[in-house]
Amino acid sequence: MSEFDDEEYESFELDGAGRSAEPVKKTTGSGAGGDDDIEDDDDDFDESDLEDAADDEIDFVLAAYREDGQPYVQSLGKDLANDLDELIIQLRRLPGDAGALGFVSLVEEVFVITRVRGQHVQVLLSDAAAAADWPIARDVVDYLGEEPIDEDEEEGEPIGDLGIVADLGLSDFDMSAIIDNLELGSVEMLTQIADKIKLNPQFRKAVEAAVG
């Protein structure tokens, strides 16, 4: 991957549609009038219990892509930090030699990386237990088809594709090492990841503009 010197940085807000989908009630069978159609409130996670992250809880939502080898980093609307489906839609609208990357950081503790290349979508959540607290983290768990996370047992464990940017210069092993570094917050983790895949200094500038 070629190096770059251009420090061009663009920032704009994309309109997000917010969280419009209602949670789907699951049934365990098709028998009419039987117990199979009764939702188990004790076992099933009620997504409506999760409140959207407030603006002051969202560190940033950034998108990155390359055209002719030149990296571009753009700030996206903060509402996308609460809706994985809408984030994917917005990323799919961006150009890019290798698709577009979305970076979401929440309360400097949790991050989500989303990579969209046409119909191919990869996701990575830094802490699976965050699905108990944040809608977009829950979206990632649902997207991956995983079961709700036991916060006490799984805290700190990433979920998703650790090799999401392996072809861009950061292996799954190195990604795991960054996530496992407890001295780093999510903003610092994502900045290090961006550095490894040669998105800086554009990424750092976007982060500074977002977090002040």
Side-chain angles (χ1 to χ4, degrees), residues 108 126 128 164 176:
E108 298 189 26
S126 63
I164 190 169
S176 181

Side-chain angles (χ1 to χ4, degrees), residues 19 45 47 49-59 81-84 104-112 125-142 151 186:
R19 300 186 59 79
F45 183 92
E47 190 172 352
D49 288 343
L50 291 182
E51 294 184 2
D52 282 355
D55 280 1
D56 60 356
E57 295 173 317
I58 302 167
D59 304 316
N82 290 306
D83 192 334
L84 178 64
V104 176
S105 176
L106 299 169
V107 294
E108 298 189 26
E109 293 180 0
V110 178
F111 75 70
V112 172
L125 170 63
S126 63
D127 183 352
D133 299 314
W134 307 107
I136 196 168
R138 177 65 190 183
D139 286 349
V140 170
V141 172
D142 287 345
E151 185 174 0
S186 56

Side-chain angles (χ1 to χ4, degrees), residues 7-39:
E7 297 187 0
E8 180 177 359
Y9 163 69
E10 300 177 4
S11 175
F12 63 85
E13 297 288 328
L14 291 178
D15 292 332
R19 300 186 59 79
S20 58
E22 293 294 330
V24 176
K25 292 185 178 180
K26 297 181 180 179
T27 60
T28 57
S30 57
D35 292 339
D36 288 344
D37 293 327
I38 299 176
E39 184 178 6

Side-chain angles (χ1 to χ4, degrees), residues 5-212:
D5 296 320
D6 190 344
E7 297 187 0
E8 180 177 359
Y9 163 69
E10 300 177 4
S11 175
F12 63 85
E13 297 288 328
L14 291 178
D15 292 332
R19 300 186 59 79
S20 58
E22 293 294 330
V24 176
K25 292 185 178 180
K26 297 181 180 179
T27 60
T28 57
S30 57
D35 292 339
D36 288 344
D37 293 327
I38 299 176
E39 184 178 6
D40 188 344
D41 293 332
D42 292 333
D43 295 334
D44 291 349
F45 183 92
D46 187 354
E47 190 172 352
S48 64
D49 288 343
L50 291 182
E51 294 184 2
D52 282 355
D55 280 1
D56 60 356
E57 295 173 317
I58 302 167
D59 304 316
F60 54 74
V61 183
L62 301 177
Y65 63 93
R66 290 179 181 273
E67 282 192 292
D68 299 324
Q70 170 66 33
Y72 294 87
V73 178
Q74 302 171 343
S75 178
L76 304 183
K78 282 192 172 183
D79 57 322
L80 298 178
N82 290 306
D83 192 334
L84 178 64
D85 288 342
E86 186 62 26
L87 176 60
I88 290 171
I89 290 171
Q90 298 293 356
L91 291 175
R92 190 168 280 137
R93 293 176 177 176
L94 298 176
D97 302 332
L101 286 162
F103 302 89
V104 176
S105 176
L106 299 169
V107 294
E108 298 189 26
E109 293 180 0
V110 178
F111 75 70
V112 172
I113 300 177
T114 306
R115 187 175 185 184
V116 178
R117 287 176 284 181
Q119 296 303 310
H120 183 53
V121 177
Q122 297 164 276
V123 290
L124 174 64
L125 170 63
S126 63
D127 183 352
D133 299 314
W134 307 107
I136 196 168
R138 177 65 190 183
D139 286 349
V140 170
V141 172
D142 287 345
Y143 186 86
L144 294 171
E146 300 290 342
E147 293 298 319
I149 303 301
D150 185 324
E151 185 174 0
D152 293 332
E153 294 182 4
E154 301 293 339
E155 187 171 0
E157 292 296 323
I159 187 172
D161 191 349
L162 287 168
I164 190 169
V165 289
D167 61 314
L168 301 180
L170 183 64
S171 69
D172 55 352
F173 178 83
D174 291 333
M175 177 72 79
S176 181
I178 291 174
I179 294 174
D180 289 343
N181 187 345
L182 299 180
E183 295 183 359
L184 299 178
S186 56
V187 173
E188 296 170 294
M189 289 181 186
L190 288 177
T191 302
Q192 285 196 12
I193 291 167
D195 191 52
K196 296 292 185 180
I197 61 176
K198 296 180 170 52
L199 289 178
N200 284 319
Q202 286 89 336
F203 191 89
R204 288 181 182 274
K205 287 184 175 182
V207 170
E208 290 171 2
V211 302

